[in-house]
Amino acid sequence: MVEQIGINAGKVWTILDEKGRQNVKEIKKATKLTDKDLYAALGWLAREGKVALDAEEKEVFASLS
């Protein structure tokens, strides 16, 4: 399971590297990950200090840090 989270984190990182700041809905659509897998990947990247997460109104945005 940990290996899969790392693989999914790589997918998320790639999308953010290519497209810049994205909201969670856009990342989910681009990566085709489930909610659970997407949030695990974002958590992994946030813990490593590789992404910044921002909440604006009702949306969450991620960008590379």
Side-chain angles (χ1 to χ4, degrees), residues 32-61:
K32 297 181 174 80
L33 295 174
T34 65
D35 284 342
K36 181 179 94 172
D37 290 339
L38 175 58
Y39 284 109
L42 286 170
W44 175 297
L45 291 168
R47 179 73 172 108
E48 289 186 343
K50 295 185 178 177
V51 297
L53 299 170
D54 306 306
E56 291 181 15
E57 301 200 14
K58 294 183 179 183
E59 293 191 72
V60 176
F61 290 86

Side-chain angles (χ1 to χ4, degrees), residues 2 5 14 19 22-23 29 34 38 45 48-50 52-53:
V2 172
I5 294 171
T14 299
K19 298 185 177 184
Q22 300 280 300
N23 70 30
K29 184 177 178 180
T34 65
L38 175 58
L45 291 168
E48 289 186 343
K50 295 185 178 177
L53 299 170

Side-chain angles (χ1 to χ4, degrees), residues 8-38:
N8 292 341
K11 292 177 183 179
V12 171
W13 189 93
T14 299
I15 292 298
L16 294 174
D17 186 48
E18 291 174 356
K19 298 185 177 184
R21 185 174 185 253
Q22 300 280 300
N23 70 30
V24 171
K25 291 177 187 176
E26 293 167 331
I27 298 169
K28 182 177 177 182
K29 184 177 178 180
T31 60
K32 297 181 174 80
L33 295 174
T34 65
D35 284 342
K36 181 179 94 172
D37 290 339
L38 175 58

